[in-house]
Amino acid sequence: MRKIKNQKSKIKIVAFIIFEFLILNSALAGELSAQLTTKVSHDRIKIDFFYHGSEVNVSGVSGHGTDIVIKLTSPEGHQVLRKKAKVAGLLWMNVGELEFDRTSNLYFLHSTQKINDIVSQDEMDRYVIGYPALKKHIEVAQVKDEDEKARWFNEFVKFKELSRLYAISFGQIILNQTDSGQNYSIKLNWPYQAPIGEYLVTVYAVKDKKVVEKAEARMIVEQVGIVKTLANMAKNNGALYGAISIVVALIAGFGVGIIFRKGGGGH
Amino acid sequence: MYFYLPVALTSINSFITVGIGLIVGILTGIFGVGGGWLITPLLMMLGITPTVAVATGANQMVASATSGAYAHYKLGNVDFKMGWCLLIGSFFGGFIGAGALKVLTAMGNADFLIKITYVILLGIVGAFMLMDTLFKMRRRHTGHYERGDSKPAGFLKNLPLQIYFEKSAVAHSLFVPIFLGGIVGILAGIMGVGGGFLMIPVMVYMLRMPIHVVIGTSLFIILFTSIEVTFLQAYTNHSVDFILAVLLLLGSTIGTQIGVFFGKRLKGEHLKLFLAFILLAVALQMTLQLIMRPSVLLAIAGNH
């Protein structure tokens, strides 16, 4: 009976050692394969009175022989836009609204090479990389079929690109080979049109048309100083804000009127 | 130099903005029109949303109308008595117009009907003004101050509460300007635009006021309507951008004084002629806007 007990405890110890070895081994293996890192240089953009956009540097390290895809997005949400169409076969007018679901207000995509050459369509769909994948991902209410969805999605992208909130480019990422891997970096012009909020920077390392690694970083755009004070006041205290705007305009109007009269502008 | 606008949420070139204010101010000073028809599309070209453009345009109009009305007042061109009567009428008319707009919207396709009506109305008034002025010019009916007939015709003469409006040198029943102001208010309420374009022809042709007094009185009326619009927009839509308004009014208040300076040197019929061209130009601009395919078929919905 005692012998059996000893045998059981020996088995337990061996099992424990094997278990510990496996965990240690897998952790080590993970550490070895996780070469992709990312860092955003300017991760807190402050919108002040003289703000006219900013510059953002995304950089990091990846494994040898991998291509890099960098995606910047705002959180997904619901966007309502007015659609225009011809009325009575002649006049272009607003004819209702279109609701876009699961959409980001901002979507930037940069890659080392042309995206279709380095990532397969399946992988692009899986990670929502590129406009075709985005089209599949986005939901558009009030459309009859895929053709209509495609048409309005194209208009949606055009609208966003004009607002400088959507952009796709390749070849702008700089790669530098090192002994242990490669350094990548890209300098981005951050548009002043991008509103306040949190943005996600996702970097994909791709090889053989597959995503082999992913790394993320976050950045925040916030208002500060007089811009924040006025924006809050306009939103939360509209009556006072309106009254101040009117009084300032009245004083300016009278002031200039009096100055001009004194200066000989009037009779 | 660029400034970031806290409500419009965009960055803007301050020199261009002050320049727009200056041009709009000059036109306001010469012709007594609000300038919303010019300022809204120009601001939209700079990336401002329509709601913010309209609301902030009204805010700057408070300044330019004050500047202009003050200058015209000093020149003796503001008929306060007539101005108040028209204002009372347009105030109540505005309520009726807003109610009518709700009914039209509920019936569907209101936008289409309103825009078409506005374009046609502007076109007809502009064309009438143009032809009438040209006709009178051809008959050499000139004069710096074109005095209207001080005696109202027909049944208007028999209406009660006949009042003499000294500044305009016309006599009308109190009900006439209030009623006409009401009609303009109703139309402005339905169309969602300032009534200046309609008020000026009404004052010239129906109330028979001299053109220089029409311009001064129009600015006096615009001052009040723009205060109302600014407050309502700030309170309900939060769409007035204070920084943008200040940049615009820096130009427009000075521009208005320049406009008044040039305006008083223009003959009445020339002013009418230019006004007619402006009405026709706005009608044409709106027609082109409706006919030409927009570059993008989507726009920001609702309020900012």
Side-chain angles (χ1 to χ4, degrees):
Chain A
M1 194 66 180
R2 206 176 185 181
K3 209 176 174 181
I4 295 169
K5 252 188 176 177
N6 276 344
Q7 235 173 349
K8 270 188 178 174
S9 60
K10 269 180 191 170
I11 291 167
K12 273 183 184 172
I13 290 164
V14 170
F16 178 72
I17 290 166
I18 293 168
F19 179 65
E20 282 291 293
F21 174 76
L22 283 173
I23 285 178
L24 204 72
N25 198 32
S26 63
L28 197 66
E31 202 171 277
L32 283 173
S33 66
Q35 287 187 345
L36 186 67
T37 65
T38 190
K39 197 179 88 183
V40 181
S41 68
H42 198 171
D43 60 355
R44 195 168 273 270
I45 294 173
K46 289 181 166 58
I47 298 179
D48 59 14
F49 194 44
F50 299 103
Y51 178 74
H52 190 61
S54 187
E55 203 171 72
V56 172
N57 281 293
V58 181
S59 59
V61 177
S62 70
H64 273 303
T66 55
D67 272 296
I68 298 294
V69 177
I70 299 171
K71 187 172 87 175
L72 283 91
T73 51
S74 57
E76 286 186 0
H78 176 81
Q79 292 184 54
V80 181
L81 294 171
R82 265 190 206 153
K83 62 174 179 177
K84 290 177 183 176
K86 255 189 179 179
V87 177
L90 182 71
L91 307 174
W92 288 94
M93 308 195 77
N94 294 319
V95 289
E97 291 179 339
L98 270 183
E99 290 171 38
F100 294 84
D101 265 313
R102 298 172 72 192
T103 57
S104 292
N105 189 34
L106 179 139
Y107 184 94
F108 291 162
L109 192 76
H110 304 279
S111 49
T112 43
Q113 296 182 59
K114 209 171 172 187
I115 196 77
N116 295 70
D117 296 344
I118 55 171
V119 191
S120 71
Q121 192 57 54
D122 284 349
E123 288 286 271
M124 285 200 276
D125 291 347
R126 196 172 154 201
Y127 294 100
V128 195
I129 296 172
Y131 289 154
L134 199 60
K135 186 173 75 187
K136 288 177 194 161
H137 181 74
I138 283 179
E139 285 168 10
V140 189
Q142 305 114 354
V143 289
K144 283 178 286 190
D145 49 34
E146 280 302 308
D147 282 351
E148 199 181 345
K149 183 185 173 183
R151 209 171 64 238
W152 284 113
F153 175 79
N154 290 342
E155 286 296 327
F156 178 77
V157 169
K158 214 197 288 180
F159 172 71
K160 289 285 181 187
E161 283 185 339
L162 271 175
S163 313
R164 293 181 64 211
L165 293 172
Y166 273 41
I168 287 185
S169 82
F170 67 91
Q172 288 177 13
I173 300 172
I174 298 165
L175 288 175
N176 283 317
Q177 301 302 322
T178 62
D179 292 341
S180 55
Q182 58 184 1
N183 295 331
Y184 70 87
S185 70
I186 186 167
K187 199 184 277 181
L188 299 169
N189 287 323
W190 187 257
Y192 58 79
Q193 290 91 339
I196 53 167
E198 195 178 83
Y199 292 86
L200 180 67
V201 181
T202 313
V203 180
Y204 303 95
V206 292
K207 201 171 189 178
D208 303 327
K209 294 209 157 191
K210 278 194 180 314
V211 172
V212 290
E213 263 186 284
K214 189 175 109 173
E216 289 179 347
R218 282 173 200 280
M219 52 182 284
I220 287 170
V221 179
E222 60 187 354
Q223 291 175 335
V224 293
I226 192 170
V227 171
K228 190 179 181 181
T229 310
L230 286 172
N232 285 344
M233 197 178 172
K235 207 172 170 187
N236 305 321
N237 208 342
L240 180 66
Y241 180 88
I244 291 173
S245 305
I246 291 165
V247 170
V248 168
L250 284 170
I251 292 170
F254 268 121
V256 171
I258 290 165
I259 291 167
F260 265 73
R261 190 164 163 70
K262 280 183 178 167
H267 272 319
Chain B
M1 191 191 284
Y2 286 91
F3 289 129
Y4 189 81
L5 307 174
V7 173
L9 300 177
T10 189
S11 174
I12 203 158
N13 184 316
S14 54
F15 297 114
I16 292 175
T17 316
V18 174
I20 289 175
L22 190 75
I23 293 166
V24 172
I26 291 172
L27 292 174
T28 303
I30 298 178
F31 303 112
V33 290
W37 54 277
L38 182 64
I39 220 160
T40 306
L42 287 177
L43 289 180
M44 281 168 68
M45 275 164 68
L46 295 179
I48 312 283
T49 57
T51 324
V52 177
V54 168
T56 310
N59 192 182
Q60 79 78 31
M61 234 173 270
V62 173
S64 59
T66 309
S67 176
Y70 180 74
H72 275 284
Y73 162 69
K74 290 289 174 191
L75 293 171
N77 289 342
V78 182
D79 188 336
F80 288 105
K81 209 193 279 181
M82 187 70 89
W84 284 118
C85 290
L86 289 164
L87 263 174
I88 291 167
S90 74
F91 178 79
F92 289 107
F95 278 111
I96 300 169
L101 177 64
K102 270 188 188 166
V103 175
L104 281 172
T105 311
M107 284 163 68
N109 230 356
D111 206 22
F112 178 75
L113 277 172
I114 290 165
K115 280 201 169 159
I116 290 286
T117 315
Y118 187 49
V119 169
I120 292 173
L121 207 62
L122 273 184
I124 290 174
V125 173
F128 173 76
M129 216 166 175
L130 182 72
M131 286 193 298
D132 176 68
T133 315
L134 286 176
F135 179 72
K136 280 180 181 160
M137 279 171 86
R138 204 181 295 166
R139 297 185 80 186
R140 304 206 176 278
H141 180 75
T142 52
H144 197 76
Y145 280 79
E146 200 178 279
R147 295 286 168 189
D149 185 0
S150 61
K151 288 175 190 166
F155 80 99
L156 293 178
K157 204 165 44 178
N158 301 321
L159 285 172
L161 291 172
Q162 290 285 333
I163 290 179
Y164 184 69
F165 296 87
E166 297 84 11
K167 271 273 169 343
S168 304
V170 291
H172 288 292
S173 160
L174 191 65
F175 296 116
V176 173
I178 292 177
F179 175 76
L180 291 174
I183 299 288
V184 172
I186 291 172
L187 291 170
I190 293 174
M191 289 166 189
V193 291
F197 277 135
L198 302 172
M199 197 65 99
I200 289 176
V202 162
M203 284 193 274
V204 172
Y205 292 107
M206 294 184 173
L207 295 172
R208 299 188 157 270
M209 292 162 65
I211 186 74
H212 284 87
V213 180
V214 165
I215 290 165
T217 311
S218 168
L219 285 171
F220 172 73
I221 295 168
I222 287 169
L223 170 61
F224 286 90
T225 49
S226 55
I227 285 177
E228 186 193 354
V229 172
T230 305
F231 187 79
L232 288 176
Q233 290 279 4
Y235 186 65
T236 54
N237 292 338
H238 315 290
S239 49
V240 174
D241 195 298
F242 182 74
I243 302 291
L244 180 60
V246 168
L247 288 172
L248 289 169
L249 67 83
L250 277 176
S252 71
T253 46
I254 295 168
T256 307
Q257 295 291 329
I258 298 168
V260 174
F261 179 79
F262 284 115
K264 71 185 178 194
R265 279 156 179 79
L266 282 173
K267 280 184 179 174
E269 58 197 11
H270 290 151
L271 276 172
K272 276 190 204 168
L273 202 63
F274 287 133
L275 257 171
F277 277 124
I278 290 181
L279 291 180
L280 289 172
V282 176
L284 184 70
Q285 175 218 17
M286 287 190 74
T287 310
L288 289 176
Q289 220 173 16
L290 290 169
I291 289 173
M292 279 159 68
R293 190 185 199 277
S295 56
V296 189
L297 298 181
L298 289 171
I300 291 169
N303 299 328
H304 142 81

